[in-house]
Each structure stands twice: as C-alpha cells, then as structure tokens.
Amino acid sequence: MGVPTGDSGWPLLPSGAAPRVTQLSTLRLGPELPEGPWALAEGSGAGSNMAESKAKSAKAANKTPPKSPGDPAKDRAAKRLSLETEGAPEGAAATAPELSALEEAFRRFAVHGDTRATGKEMHGKNWSKLCKDCQVIDGKNVTVTDVDIVFSKIKGKSCRTITFEQFKEALEELSKKRFKDKSSEEAVREVHKLIEGKAPIISGVTKAISSPTVSRLTDTTKFTGSHKERFDPSGKGKGKAGRVDLVDESGYVPGYKHAGTYDQKVQGGK
C-alpha cells in the first residue's frame, strides 16, 4: 500500500496529526574547529598569532631585569670581607675584637719599611729591630745571635715570616734567657711589658756631608766677579740689589764712604 503524496511530492499527513520534526545534525561548513576561545580564529591564522603574542608576553613577564653594572672595587672588597668573615661566629663580623697592646706593637713593627705588608706576619729583619728597639736584647743575656736563632727555630722550614702566635712563642723562648732569676710566667710577663705600646724607632737621619769640594762651592768669601756682588760680607744675599744695577741718585761718587757726614763736620767745626 503506497503512501499518498501531494503535488510537491512530500507525503501527506492525516488531519489532526501534529507534525513531528526530527533533530538535524550540526551542519558543517568547513573543517572541524577545536573548542575554546580560539576556535573561531583557528582557520584564518589569527589564532596562531595571538598565541605567539601571549607566549612572548608571558616570557617577558618571567624575564628578570638585567643587573646594573657596579663598582668592581666595591665588589672585590665585599667578596674579601665575606671570605674573611666566613666561618666566624655570629656577631664577629659586626664587632671586630679589640687588639691587645702586644698585638698592636707586633703589627706596627710588622709593617715597618714594607708598604705591601698586611701586619699579620713579620720578617726576620723587623723581628730583630723589635727586639733591639724594645730592649729585649741587653747584650749580656740576650744577643742578636740569640734572636736570630730563636726566629729560625720558630718559623717554618719553607717560611720567611712568623705569625703572631709564633711571635709569642719566640718571646717565651727569649724570656727564659732575658730574665733568668724569675719564673717562666713572670719572665714572659716582663718581656711583654717591654714590647707593649712600643713603635719602631726611626734613626739614621741623613746629615749634610762636609767635604772640601762642597765647602769651597758654598763659601761666599771666595766668590769673585759678579757672583761676589750678590752677597754682603756676612754671606747674606742682597736680593735684587745684587742682580740689577740700581742707579745711585744720592749725588755722591760711587764708592764714596763718607756720604752723609758733611753736616756733622760743619756743626762740629762751629
């Protein structure tokens, strides 16, 4: 039995029956687009550009700003201080310990005559000067030879300097000879008293050399010619008068020795 159809060819529905519409599937106009906010711009290439700009902005946000160039000297100083304070107890870097009078004297003698010395180590030359200036060497119990022997004994085999701790050991060795009549502790204390608060004595100031050649060149009484006219009989320079010919407007003949005595002679004759 066939289904009745109309003039358009569509099937006819019985009277009173509601038309039933079936749900159509989604019409696809192009390739399947991904879901999300970039779905509409995927096909035209705008989505890829926007994705790249978003990635660049995120990378720029995460990028840290470049460090400003600092002072190399300050950086080296900060690094040296950090190395010196590394391993020290808390609070040691903030407040440096005060040096004892003995250590201050040690540093004064350690840097004497050496611009590159740090004051933490002492050479044998400065060690001998310390013992001499501080009267540790008395010429009887302690001599220069004893000082040199103790220095060679205390320092390391391949070292040429001693530290402050080795310095105290050397003083302990010398105290036994310097103060024989006292106990070891009292002898060390007496040697420390000789050194505490002392500084290197600067001696041997250069003096003027007196030789016949130098004295002859500086003796104004032996000058001749124009050089003789520049000094008076006492050896004092005349200044401009000894270098320039000044015109004598007094009216007297040059070399006349009785200038200004005419009035005295006239009054004396009356």
Side-chain angles (χ1 to χ4, degrees), residues 88-194:
E90 296 182 359
T95 57
E98 295 183 359
L99 300 178
S100 60
L102 182 64
E103 189 171 359
E104 287 181 359
F106 171 81
R107 293 198 174 191
R108 291 193 192 104
F109 281 92
V111 300
H112 177 69
D114 189 357
T115 57
R116 296 177 297 177
T118 60
K120 297 180 180 180
E121 296 178 348
M122 179 181 291
H123 291 274
K125 180 180 178 181
N126 292 358
W127 158 255
S128 300
K129 180 173 178 58
L130 181 145
C131 295
K132 181 180 179 180
D133 293 352
C134 299
Q135 298 180 357
V136 177
I137 300 176
D138 59 352
K140 297 180 180 179
N141 299 328
V142 178
T143 61
V144 178
T145 305
D146 297 331
V147 170
D148 294 338
I149 292 174
V150 170
F151 182 84
S152 301
K153 178 182 177 181
I154 296 298
K155 74 178 184 63
K157 294 182 179 179
S158 60
C159 298
R160 301 176 60 183
T161 59
I162 58 174
T163 61
F164 179 67
E165 296 299 329
Q166 294 174 330
F167 170 74
K168 292 192 293 185
E169 294 179 10
L171 293 181
E172 186 176 356
E173 291 288 335
L174 291 179
S175 64
K176 299 176 183 179
K177 295 184 177 182
R178 183 67 170 79
F179 300 97
K180 296 180 180 180
D181 56 343
K182 295 184 179 181
S183 62
S184 59
E185 295 181 358
E186 292 180 353
V188 171
R189 196 178 302 112
E190 291 295 330
V191 172
H192 288 185
K193 289 181 180 179
L194 294 175

Side-chain angles (χ1 to χ4, degrees), residues 7-30:
D7 298 337
S8 61
W10 291 94
L12 296 177
L13 297 176
S15 61
R20 186 175 59 182
V21 181
T22 59
Q23 185 177 4
L24 299 177
S25 60
T26 305
L27 181 64
R28 297 181 178 179
L29 300 177

Side-chain angles (χ1 to χ4, degrees), residues 194-251:
L194 294 175
I195 301 173
E196 290 176 352
K198 297 296 181 62
I201 298 175
I202 300 175
S203 59
V205 180
T206 305
K207 298 181 180 179
I209 300 175
S210 58
S211 64
T213 304
V214 176
S215 60
R216 181 174 60 85
L217 295 175
T218 56
D219 189 0
T220 58
T221 59
K222 297 181 180 180
F223 289 178
T224 59
S226 61
H227 299 287
K228 183 178 181 180
E229 300 297 332
R230 299 179 60 179
F231 299 91
D232 59 8
S234 63
K236 184 178 179 181
K238 296 180 181 179
K240 186 177 180 180
R243 302 190 304 269
V244 181
D245 293 334
L246 300 178
V247 180
D248 186 6
E249 299 179 354
S250 61

